[in-house]
Amino acid sequence: MAILSLAHADWTFRDCSGQTWLPAVVPGCVHADLLRVQKIPDPFWGTNETGLQWIEERDWEYRASFTVPKELLGDETIDLVADGLDTVATVRLNGREIARTENMFVSHRWPIKAHLVAGANELTIRFGSAMNYIRTHRPGHRPLEFNDPVGRSQVIRKQPCQFGWDWGPRFVTAGIWRDLRLETWSGNRLENVRVTQRHDAGGRVALRFAPQLLRRDSSVSCRYRLSLDSVVIAEGTGTSIVVEHPQLWWPNGHGAQPLYTLEIEVLRTDGSVLGHWIRRLGLRTVSLDRHADAAGETFQFVVNGRAIFAKGANWIPAHSFVAGLTREHYARDLRSAAEANMNMLRVWGGGIYESEDFYDLCDELGLLVWQDFMFACAIYPGDRAFLKGVQVEAEQQVLRLRHRACLALWCGNNEIEQLNEELLKQPRLRANYDALFHRLLPKVVAACDGVTDYWPSSQYRGDGINTHEAGEKRGDTHFWDVWHRRNPVKDYEKWRFRFCSEFGMQSYSSPETQATFCPPEDANVFGASMENHQKNRGGNQVILDYVSRRYRFPKSQDDLIYLSQLNQAYCMQTGVEHYRRLMPHCMGALYWQLNDCWPVASWSSIEFTGRWRALHHVARRFFAPALVSAHVPGDETTITGNYRRSTVGDVHLYTVYDRPAKARGLLEWDLFHAGGRLLLTGRKAVPLRYGESVKQKTLKLAPLLAQYGAENLILRIALDLDGRCVSEDSVFLAPPRFVALTQARTGVDIRLADPTHATLAFTSSAFQHRFAFDFAGIAFRSGDNYFELFPGEPKSVDVEFTQPQTLAGLRRALTHRSLADTY
């Protein structure tokens, strides 16, 4: 097969309402091209988004000339291969219409040899307005809308969140968003290879592979080579390999991620090569285990026979304009996920089926992927043409991803059944829903994959019941009483869910990220720019509501931003640690959300610029394999007259452990007065075994609370392994806004190991809660941040800088704050 890339051709594009052609980049999209040639302002800046909605109403045309060598025309077949066209496209070659498309998620292959000439050829692709398509197709489909402010985007197979979401802008774009090329071949073509694994009781792994050809041909044979780290493990001819001593692939934190390279050549009877296929494989088994138990039915992922507590977050598209994203775009946030001890990401159903780079990195980093099909929230059409298009889409994506080591689950949709419970009682809508999510998609998964489990929706309990009580018995749960209902944060602890696949709390982006989109004169959080970068209606008010319940009124906007991030981290810590303490009854916590597609106030733990919010630093601690966790069963409330009342009396100390190897640890606790005096201390040796959450100690604090007052007490907890602290935190027994924290003097020692690496040592004269440091204007990554700083105990943190630094420059740029500094 010969390949002629068209992505590197000299592309131009135009607004079809005019005649001016401008340079374009492929893969790409019209918004990115317009920005590149300075025909539109930065879409992310200020309120520019609102002034760019005209783009979705226009038709856009792309064209390029390319040269076909005469010898290329000697092959029997020449195909034009388009991996992704977004979305309503008419394709013409040398003036002749080749095809029309209307599904962003489908790749295309068209025979075009008859329309090619030796020498110069011209390809044009006209993208019709998606909005015009929506207005003229399936007019009777009018679903309940949740995120699209205009409506009916469900009638077109296009990235749902392009039409707006409660964390993302509305940029309905168009363009050649994935690779475009010519491929030549003769006689027959290798389309794919199906590889299955069988793991036997003796530890061996049998690989079986079946080539899938365009035209069935039983006379072909296979030549294979299996290697690991460039060392050949097996090679020969045939359709199976037995790996005698396999190195198994494990999720992050459970073992290594060895990836074998399997190369297969499909040979004709004369020994010539018909096709070549190469993939990386992880040898492992993954299943969604749902068996009956005393509470109802388990919901847990089992990898290589080991039940895994899923620790992670939800993934949305990495950019508002997904065309042309590179491996490094993905690596920044995926590596951060692994560094935070995550082992699973849910690829959410309102975005895209991600690129090979994304799944390559998940394979390498040990990040299991819960893969939604791209349907979210609103009801979708059920007519025959729509279902036929979805079937092609699903078949292609399943065939593309089925070999992935990271692939853990196929899921039909995001929240459609949960959000449309009443509408789905209508027989026609229910029939359409079932046809797609309970028949078509599971049938495709079974036929094209046959190994990976399928789950119809998220959340889903298998019986159509969407109550919290049902989630305590079976299935997965999206819990949004905290945030959307503004319920108390302690409500996380009310429910014993089996698996929580969505829950979240917003915070503001850091001042550094805010500066990338917000004009200085409009930097107020309630100003036009900041409101435009808050896509949840009333979201800024909800942030302030939760911040005010826990913290004092801040003295500056930067302090408010800091407090919003502390609150977000606190909320997610409360939820995650509750779910981990419930292990093995609960076997997963995936918070909403890992990343952003533009700079925004959102639920993410990683800002669009790559900066970690406080949540991500704290997530590295609450997802740690060895965790000490405090459960405070009481709470503080108010009565008539705004008088405070507290039911706090006991504190339960738990250890949670999911390292494979057993260990012995030392549990430590110290209760001290806010002024610094130690009131109570204790130690306990604790055994730590895989998959166990154990209540190790109950502290009866009622007498001390009565004597000193809850607002004057702070509990410090820690877990040591082999003489090293692996988990540590402090626990407030009253809302921190009532705790009289001492203003501390902070000492800092900076030592440069080389121009891009330093070690910082912090000391403090008093306890500092969620001590955070920064280097103004300097990009860096740190081994820790937003931590507890205790008096008389130096805290060392390793820092890596993107650019070389000097000691003097670092000293000038260093800033820090803790909770007591915000008021």
Side-chain angles (χ1 to χ4, degrees), residues 51 282 296 306 339 449 493 540 636 641 664 724 763:
R306 181 189 300 164
E339 289 171 13
D449 185 322
E493 297 174 350
N540 286 334
E636 181 173 301
R664 291 194 63 81
R724 184 174 66 89
T763 57

CSV table of all heavy atoms in Angstrom, one decimal, residues 51 282 296 306 339 449 493 540 636 641 664 724 763:
chain,number,residue,atom,x,y,z
A,51,GLY,N,-19.5,37.2,20.3
A,51,GLY,CA,-19.5,37.9,19.1
A,51,GLY,C,-19.1,37.0,17.9
A,51,GLY,O,-18.9,37.5,16.8
A,282,GLY,N,-1.4,-4.8,25.9
A,282,GLY,CA,-1.1,-5.2,27.3
A,282,GLY,C,-1.8,-6.5,27.6
A,282,GLY,O,-2.9,-6.7,27.3
A,296,GLY,N,-27.0,-6.1,47.5
A,296,GLY,CA,-27.7,-6.1,46.3
A,296,GLY,C,-26.9,-6.7,45.2
A,296,GLY,O,-26.9,-7.9,44.9
A,306,ARG,N,-8.0,-9.4,40.1
A,306,ARG,CA,-8.0,-8.5,41.3
A,306,ARG,C,-9.1,-7.4,41.2
A,306,ARG,O,-9.1,-6.7,40.3
A,306,ARG,CB,-6.6,-7.9,41.5
A,306,ARG,CG,-6.5,-7.0,42.7
A,306,ARG,CD,-5.2,-6.3,42.7
A,306,ARG,NE,-4.0,-7.2,42.7
A,306,ARG,CZ,-2.8,-6.8,42.4
A,306,ARG,NH1,-2.5,-5.6,42.0
A,306,ARG,NH2,-1.8,-7.7,42.4
A,339,GLU,N,0.0,11.0,38.2
A,339,GLU,CA,0.8,11.5,39.4
A,339,GLU,C,-0.1,11.6,40.6
A,339,GLU,O,0.4,11.6,41.8
A,339,GLU,CB,1.5,12.8,39.1
A,339,GLU,CG,2.6,12.7,38.1
A,339,GLU,CD,3.1,14.0,37.6
A,339,GLU,OE1,2.8,15.0,38.2
A,339,GLU,OE2,3.9,14.0,36.6
A,449,ASP,N,-16.3,-6.4,19.5
A,449,ASP,CA,-15.3,-6.5,20.6
A,449,ASP,C,-15.4,-7.9,21.2
A,449,ASP,O,-14.5,-8.7,21.1
A,449,ASP,CB,-15.6,-5.4,21.7
A,449,ASP,CG,-14.6,-5.4,22.8
A,449,ASP,OD1,-14.2,-6.5,23.2
A,449,ASP,OD2,-14.3,-4.3,23.3
A,493,GLU,N,-21.8,11.8,52.9
A,493,GLU,CA,-21.7,10.7,53.9
A,493,GLU,C,-23.0,10.1,54.2
A,493,GLU,O,-23.0,9.1,55.0
A,493,GLU,CB,-20.9,11.2,55.2
A,493,GLU,CG,-19.5,11.7,54.9
A,493,GLU,CD,-18.9,12.3,56.1
A,493,GLU,OE1,-19.6,12.5,57.1
A,493,GLU,OE2,-17.7,12.5,56.1
A,540,ASN,N,-21.4,31.3,40.0
A,540,ASN,CA,-20.6,32.1,40.9
A,540,ASN,C,-21.3,32.3,42.3
A,540,ASN,O,-20.6,32.3,43.3
A,540,ASN,CB,-20.4,33.5,40.3
A,540,ASN,CG,-19.4,33.5,39.2
A,540,ASN,OD1,-18.5,32.6,39.1
A,540,ASN,ND2,-19.5,34.4,38.2
A,636,GLU,N,-22.0,20.7,62.7
A,636,GLU,CA,-22.4,21.9,63.3
A,636,GLU,C,-23.5,22.6,62.5
A,636,GLU,O,-23.4,22.7,61.3
A,636,GLU,CB,-21.3,22.9,63.5
A,636,GLU,CG,-21.7,24.2,64.2
A,636,GLU,CD,-20.6,25.1,64.6
A,636,GLU,OE1,-19.7,24.7,65.3
A,636,GLU,OE2,-20.6,26.3,64.1
A,641,GLY,N,-32.4,32.2,65.7
A,641,GLY,CA,-31.5,33.2,66.3
A,641,GLY,C,-30.1,33.0,65.9
A,641,GLY,O,-29.2,33.8,66.4
A,664,ARG,N,2.8,-3.1,57.4
A,664,ARG,CA,2.5,-2.7,58.8
A,664,ARG,C,2.8,-1.2,58.9
A,664,ARG,O,3.8,-0.7,58.5
A,664,ARG,CB,3.2,-3.5,59.8
A,664,ARG,CG,2.8,-5.0,59.9
A,664,ARG,CD,3.4,-5.6,61.1
A,664,ARG,NE,2.8,-5.1,62.3
A,664,ARG,CZ,1.6,-5.4,62.9
A,664,ARG,NH1,0.8,-6.2,62.2
A,664,ARG,NH2,1.2,-4.8,64.0
A,724,ARG,N,8.4,6.4,57.4
A,724,ARG,CA,8.1,7.6,56.6
A,724,ARG,C,6.6,7.9,56.6
A,724,ARG,O,5.8,7.0,56.4
A,724,ARG,CB,8.6,7.3,55.2
A,724,ARG,CG,8.5,8.5,54.2
A,724,ARG,CD,9.1,8.1,52.9
A,724,ARG,NE,8.4,7.1,52.2
A,724,ARG,CZ,7.4,7.3,51.3
A,724,ARG,NH1,7.0,8.5,51.1
A,724,ARG,NH2,6.8,6.2,50.7
A,763,THR,N,9.6,26.5,57.0
A,763,THR,CA,9.4,26.4,58.4
A,763,THR,C,8.4,27.4,58.8
A,763,THR,O,8.2,28.4,58.2
A,763,THR,CB,10.7,26.6,59.2
A,763,THR,OG1,11.2,27.8,58.8
A,763,THR,CG2,11.7,25.5,58.9
